[in-house]
Amino acid sequence: DAGVIQSPRHEVTEMGQEVTLRCKPISGHNSLFWYRQTMMRGLELLIYFNNNVPIDDSGMPEDRFSAKMPNASFSTLKIQPSEPRDSAVYFCASSLLGDMNTEAFFGQGTRLTVV
Amino acid sequence: QQQVKQSPQSLIVQKGGISIINCAYENTAFDYFPWYQQFPGKGPALLIAIRPDVSEKKEGRFTISFNKSAKQFSLHIMDSQPGDSATYFCAAISSGSARQLTFGSGTQLTVLP
């Protein structure tokens, strides 16, 4: 398995533009997480899905952020409109719910820069 | 609310020395405590993990010590090597159906040659 795949790896966009980050979880995993990493706030959980259903989106900072998981093999995180303070590395992770020793596997991340 | 507190923020150790990173938690619903290692430009990767019914777990040069009554756990890296230079995150997973990870703030470890 190729692991969790995120795209793009780097994104530079202008303030006000829409940004879509993509994630392909590991095949067979049924939980998917979106994290944001910054120097100031560390790793923050934005939202997580179980069996394609959003369970907790309390970490989503504002209504400008939205996430979808239309099927078990694909998820998107959208920011519209983007702002400079959204600049961060966004990670997607997946795991197998039900496994007591749950390991979350992370993708390589998308480095977003909003100018 | 910071549910997992991690210290120190940064750590510099000589090659061959012992690196110690400490974490404390508040939520008694946590039932699994993994440590993640992150190299620059990469996502975090599981290093070692422990359940609260065990006081210590060792894998090679890496050891987790767990104190359930104090709600504290720590990572010890023996014979630290320059290749261990990375950011280390402790984490905790809550019991129940969600199994979401709550991370500490991270420790940037530098091992000098």
Side-chain angles (χ1 to χ4, degrees), chain B residues 72-86:
Chain B
Q72 295 175 346
F73 58 110
S74 59
L75 176 70
H76 292 64
I77 305 175
M78 311 300 289
D79 187 27
S80 299
Q81 299 297 311
D84 298 331
S85 297

Side-chain angles (χ1 to χ4, degrees), chain A residues 12-113:
Chain A
V12 180
T13 190
E14 292 185 347
M15 180 175 62
Q17 296 298 306
E18 177 180 300
V19 175
T20 299
L21 311 181
R22 296 172 174 81
C23 175
K24 181 181 187 305
I26 292 174
S27 177
H29 282 186
N30 53 12
S31 291
L32 184 139
F33 308 84
W34 282 101
Y35 286 88
R36 178 172 68 177
Q37 186 175 35
T38 61
M39 288 295 294
M40 290 297 295
R41 301 175 69 88
L43 274 163
E44 301 175 275
L45 177 65
L46 300 178
I47 185 171
Y48 71 90
F49 296 83
N50 286 343
N51 296 313
N52 312 337
V53 176
I55 302 301
D56 185 354
D57 65 354
S58 61
M60 297 285 262
E62 301 172 30
D63 291 344
R64 298 184 295 106
F65 286 69
S66 62
K68 294 182 179 180
M69 192 166 185
N71 56 62
S73 59
F74 184 65
S75 177
T76 59
L77 178 67
K78 183 179 295 186
I79 308 172
Q80 166 64 19
S82 58
E83 296 182 2
R85 59 193 169 121
D86 301 331
S87 298
V89 180
Y90 290 81
F91 286 104
C92 174
S94 71
S95 68
L96 181 61
L97 179 67
D99 184 350
M100 292 301 292
N101 295 331
T102 301
E103 175 179 356
F105 292 83
F106 283 75
Q108 298 271 47
T110 295
R111 180 174 295 277
L112 173 64
T113 303

Side-chain angles (χ1 to χ4, degrees), chain B residues 15-85:
Chain B
K15 178 183 176 180
I18 302 174
S19 304
I20 302 174
I21 304 171
N22 300 300
C23 286
Y25 64 98
E26 300 169 356
N27 188 348
T28 55
F30 291 143
D31 67 355
Y32 190 59
F33 300 87
W35 284 86
Y36 280 78
Q37 179 187 55
Q38 184 180 28
F39 292 104
K42 303 291 186 182
L46 181 68
L47 182 64
I48 186 173
I50 196 169
R51 300 192 65 81
D53 54 350
V54 176
S55 61
E56 185 175 283
K57 183 174 182 180
K58 183 177 181 180
E59 291 184 0
R61 296 183 295 107
F62 300 90
T63 300
I64 300 178
S65 297
F66 191 88
N67 185 330
K68 187 175 181 179
S69 61
K71 292 188 283 187
Q72 295 175 346
F73 58 110
S74 59
L75 176 70
H76 292 64
I77 305 175
M78 311 300 289
D79 187 27
S80 299
Q81 299 297 311
D84 298 331
S85 297

